[in-house]
Amino acid sequence: LPHLIKVWSIMTKSKLGLTAARGTLLSIALRLASFILSQATVRFVSAAALGKASVPLELLLGTALFVSREGFRLALTKESGKESDADAKDGRRMEQRMINVSWLSVPLGAIISMIAMYMHLSTCNHNIAIESEGETKSEYELLDYKMAGVLYCFASFVESLSEPLVIRCLQQMDVTTKAKAEGVALVMKSVSCFGCLYILSSNWAVSAFGISQLLYGITFTTIMYRHGRSIEGGIQWPKRVTESTTINPYKSNSGIRQSFTQSFDYQQLHLVLVFTLQGLFKHALTEADKIVLSALAGSYDQGIYAIASSYGGLAARLLLQPIEENARLLFSRQGALMEQDKQSDSKSTTSAATSKQLVEMQNTYSFLLRTVCLIGLLFATIATNYTSILLRLLAGYRWGSNSKAISALSAFCVYTGFLSLNGITEAFVYGVARSGKDIGQLSIVHAVVGVIFALISPGLVAKFQHGLVAANCICMALRSAYSLYFAWGYFANGKRNSSSIRLIFRAVPHPLVVIAFAVSFAATRASRDHFYDETLEGQTWVLTSLKHIGVGIVCACGTFAVTLRKEADIRQAIKGLLLKQTL
């Protein structure tokens, strides 16, 4: 933890780092405000309507936006957009060609949105027909789903209109403007969705999500265009580019083809295509859950998974993701220092310095890995027995008393433990990898794991209530196993007395700490069965909940005391952090 704080302080000392830090904090604050507002929305919507909006329609929107803009962002943000060191006129021509390429994202977004709309209208009858037990379908539901899909596709087109301005912000490291636009649009989306659900009848619940998504796109695009008009130079519109030499109008190659060649950078267009094709597989892995649910589950089960994923992923987004990102920066910095020492003149000095830094890196790796294991155990053993109270407080009685939603969120708490392990282990791989071979091997492992997920998830979903979460846990365990193997090889190649067994034992918490978590799980589970009843209401529910929460606090404090007693490095880190705060 002190190392992570040190990395954050180093980041904020540079101008670019401070800008990125401010944009990140602003984005987190606005997203948190949007999350709080969206809790009122969940109370008004049924599980089936939430499932249709959160799974197939979000998958449709995300895929359309990904195909139409991801390649442009990856290709064009590698260039600063400034004039080159050559002739100023040639530099302006190159800059204008890049601007012209960025504006191709607008017609591409329109085409992709129309294709998405056609696919939606041609398949919505099939999606509505996949109904889980207890659901009914009607003409209103089909019309509502069709209308919502059309609104989502139109929202995709509206949002693609802002892509050239977003690319310009990314080129200039102006993440604050983009964060403000996204935050305001998210708040508008949450408020409009709540208002539409309150005003419209329940027959148009899914369309309410479509209207709010369209307002998100309009708000985001409007803010980006207003910002583009306010900055120096205004909006950089596409223009025809001509060479300095005089064009002979009587030559056949001076027509439309030559004009296109001169106005667009073919190298950038090639990169856009390559990055888009490379990203499709990554996008399929990212959206694998939604793909499986859209194909195999009904809208009610999709809604249950959506609510559990929303709350279950909150811990990963707010707690684990910042730890992972800062750990990657820390490992990258330590790895870079080791490489510098290896290239120094004195071999004896280099060997001693490298050995010392390798010891420090391995200690840091073991410490962070053991810390996230403790966080994962906290969610898997204690938090898993308090999901009903969380749903009751955030989403209301209907969700807090839904046994399927409660058990699904409990399964996500267990999944959080696997996420925490995989996050740190892969952060180390990305931080210290210095060759394309290492990253290529990791990409191959991800591809193999993706294929395994595609093979096992349909069977697990068909046989088990939380089969999709189980498939994700298995895949995260496989990815973590490879990352641990990579770490063992890295430390072993550094000629340190390292073995895979020793590395694992240094990262695993003390046996007494594990026993304390197991006892806490048994105690909180018994408390849930004895004191708590999710069907109660009013003062009776409050009293039983307080008793159950009291047992959890006692168990958490006892486990924390055992951890401080047996984990000396964690105790020292907390002590050093507290002393630093007092000083």
Side-chain angles (χ1 to χ4, degrees):
L1 189 59
H3 290 297
L4 299 180
I5 296 174
K6 185 177 181 181
V7 170
W8 180 262
S9 64
I10 292 174
M11 287 176 57
T12 55
K13 287 181 180 179
S14 65
K15 185 176 180 181
L16 289 178
L18 184 60
T19 302
R22 286 175 178 173
T24 302
L25 293 175
L26 179 62
S27 178
I28 291 174
L30 289 173
R31 288 177 182 273
L32 185 60
S34 175
F35 173 80
I36 294 173
L37 288 172
S38 65
Q39 303 316 302
T41 301
V42 176
R43 297 170 180 262
F44 279 87
V45 69
S46 64
L50 181 64
K52 294 172 188 175
S54 301
V55 179
L57 293 182
E58 285 289 341
L59 177 63
L60 183 73
L61 174 71
T63 303
L65 290 174
F66 181 89
V67 175
S68 63
R69 72 186 184 188
E70 187 68 14
F72 289 93
R73 291 189 179 184
L74 292 176
L76 299 180
T77 53
K78 292 181 179 295
E79 302 289 342
S80 63
K82 297 180 180 179
E83 296 179 6
S84 63
D85 295 332
D87 183 69
K89 291 184 179 179
D90 292 337
R92 286 194 292 270
R93 290 191 189 99
M94 289 298 298
E95 181 182 0
Q96 186 60 49
R97 289 191 182 103
M98 289 181 58
I99 294 172
N100 293 344
V101 172
S102 69
W103 279 94
L104 288 178
S105 61
V106 174
L108 179 62
I111 294 172
I112 297 299
S113 298
M114 287 189 290
I115 294 174
M117 185 182 299
Y118 172 77
M119 293 178 61
H120 166 72
L121 293 177
S122 60
T123 60
C124 60
N125 288 322
H126 170 72
N127 290 335
I128 288 293
I130 303 177
E131 299 291 342
S132 61
E133 185 178 353
E135 291 183 72
T136 59
K137 56 181 179 179
S138 66
E139 182 180 353
Y140 285 108
E141 289 182 1
L142 180 59
L143 183 60
D144 180 32
Y145 185 66
K146 284 184 176 180
M147 181 62 68
V150 172
L151 290 170
Y152 268 85
C153 294
F154 191 56
S156 172
F157 165 69
V158 172
E159 192 170 345
S160 67
L161 294 176
S162 65
E163 192 57 28
L165 289 90
V166 174
I167 292 174
R168 185 181 181 185
C169 285
L170 295 176
Q171 288 175 340
Q172 299 174 351
M173 280 296 293
D174 186 11
V175 294
T176 303
T177 299
K178 181 174 177 289
K180 286 181 180 178
E182 288 178 342
V184 174
L186 280 172
V187 173
M188 175 62 71
K189 177 182 176 181
S190 301
V191 173
S192 60
C193 187
F194 175 79
C196 290
L197 288 172
Y198 184 79
I199 296 173
L200 299 177
S201 65
S202 59
N203 293 327
W204 301 100
V206 189
S207 295
F209 285 92
I211 294 172
S212 64
Q213 185 63 48
L214 179 58
L215 288 176
Y216 171 90
I218 294 174
T219 304
F220 180 79
T221 303
T222 302
I223 294 175
M224 293 305 300
Y225 272 89
R226 290 188 61 182
H227 172 74
R229 294 178 59 184
S230 65
I231 61 178
E232 182 180 359
I235 299 175
Q236 296 178 334
W237 298 101
K239 297 178 182 178
R240 181 179 178 180
V241 179
T242 56
E243 298 293 343
S244 57
T245 57
T246 304
I247 298 176
N248 187 352
Y250 296 100
K251 288 186 176 182
S252 59
N253 63 351
S254 61
I256 298 177
R257 182 177 180 181
Q258 185 180 14
S259 177
F260 184 86
T261 303
Q262 294 175 354
S263 299
F264 296 94
D265 188 340
Y266 272 12
Q267 183 180 2
Q268 295 296 335
L269 287 174
H270 179 260
L271 284 177
V272 169
L273 178 61
V274 170
F275 281 128
T276 301
L277 295 178
Q278 287 180 347
L280 286 176
F281 184 73
K282 179 183 177 182
H283 178 69
L285 292 178
T286 304
E287 303 292 347
D289 291 2
K290 293 180 181 179
I291 295 174
V292 173
L293 288 172
S294 298
L296 301 178
S299 56
Y300 180 83
D301 291 332
Q302 291 172 1
I304 294 296
Y305 186 88
I307 194 71
S309 176
S310 175
Y311 293 124
L314 188 63
R317 291 191 296 269
L318 296 182
L319 180 62
L320 298 178
Q321 186 176 357
I323 295 177
E324 177 184 344
E325 292 175 351
N326 286 286
R328 184 167 59 249
L329 291 173
L330 175 62
F331 292 136
S332 179
R333 183 167 176 265
Q334 290 179 328
L337 291 175
M338 290 180 58
E339 292 295 327
Q340 292 176 3
D341 289 336
K342 289 180 180 179
Q343 296 174 2
S344 62
D345 296 332
S346 176
K347 292 185 178 180
S348 59
T349 305
T350 299
S351 178
T354 302
S355 178
K356 180 180 179 181
Q357 290 174 357
L358 192 66
V359 172
E360 181 182 356
M361 179 181 286
Q362 187 166 355
N363 291 335
T364 303
Y365 179 77
S366 301
F367 170 77
L368 289 176
L369 198 56
R370 190 160 61 255
T371 301
V372 296
C373 284
L374 293 172
I375 296 174
L377 285 172
L378 177 66
F379 279 93
T381 58
I382 298 179
T384 188
N385 293 315
Y386 291 86
T387 54
S388 176
I389 296 178
L390 179 66
L391 286 173
R392 184 73 169 267
L393 293 174
L394 295 179
Y397 174 79
R398 178 169 55 180
W399 289 103
S401 59
N402 189 314
S403 59
K404 284 190 174 182
I406 295 170
S407 59
L409 185 54
S410 297
F412 263 93
C413 289
V414 177
Y415 178 52
T416 301
F418 289 89
L419 278 178
S420 62
L421 176 64
N422 177 73
I424 289 297
T425 54
E426 287 193 354
F428 179 82
V429 177
Y430 284 114
V432 303
R434 291 292 183 270
S435 65
K437 180 182 177 181
D438 295 333
I439 300 299
Q441 289 177 347
L442 184 63
S443 299
I444 293 173
V445 170
H446 286 180
V448 173
V449 171
V451 173
I452 293 174
F453 178 84
L455 293 175
I456 66 175
S457 57
L460 292 175
V461 170
K463 292 183 179 180
F464 303 102
Q465 182 179 357
H466 306 303
L468 191 58
V469 181
N472 279 313
C473 291
I474 293 173
C475 292
M476 285 297 164
L478 292 175
R479 289 169 56 173
S480 301
Y482 171 78
S483 298
L484 286 170
Y485 171 77
F486 176 90
W488 166 73
Y490 182 86
F491 294 124
N493 291 334
K495 297 181 180 181
R496 172 169 167 77
N497 185 18
S498 176
S499 66
S500 57
I501 302 298
R502 173 176 292 185
L503 181 64
I504 293 175
F505 271 105
R506 290 192 63 187
V508 173
H510 193 277
L512 288 180
V513 176
V514 177
I515 292 174
F517 275 109
V519 172
S520 297
F521 172 77
T524 53
R525 175 59 64 91
S527 172
R528 188 194 68 178
D529 296 337
H530 180 71
F531 292 118
Y532 186 73
D533 185 0
E534 62 269 11
T535 60
L536 296 176
E537 297 185 53
Q539 186 177 1
T540 306
W541 176 82
V542 174
L543 293 176
T544 57
S545 299
L546 289 176
K547 291 180 182 179
H548 185 38
I549 292 173
V551 174
I553 293 175
V554 171
C555 292
C557 291
T559 304
F560 182 69
V562 175
T563 302
L564 291 181
R565 178 69 178 176
K566 294 299 180 181
E567 303 290 352
D569 50 355
I570 293 179
R571 181 175 67 251
Q572 292 173 0
I574 295 176
K575 183 179 179 180
L577 182 61
L578 293 176
L579 289 175
K580 184 178 180 180
Q581 293 293 332
T582 56
L583 294 176

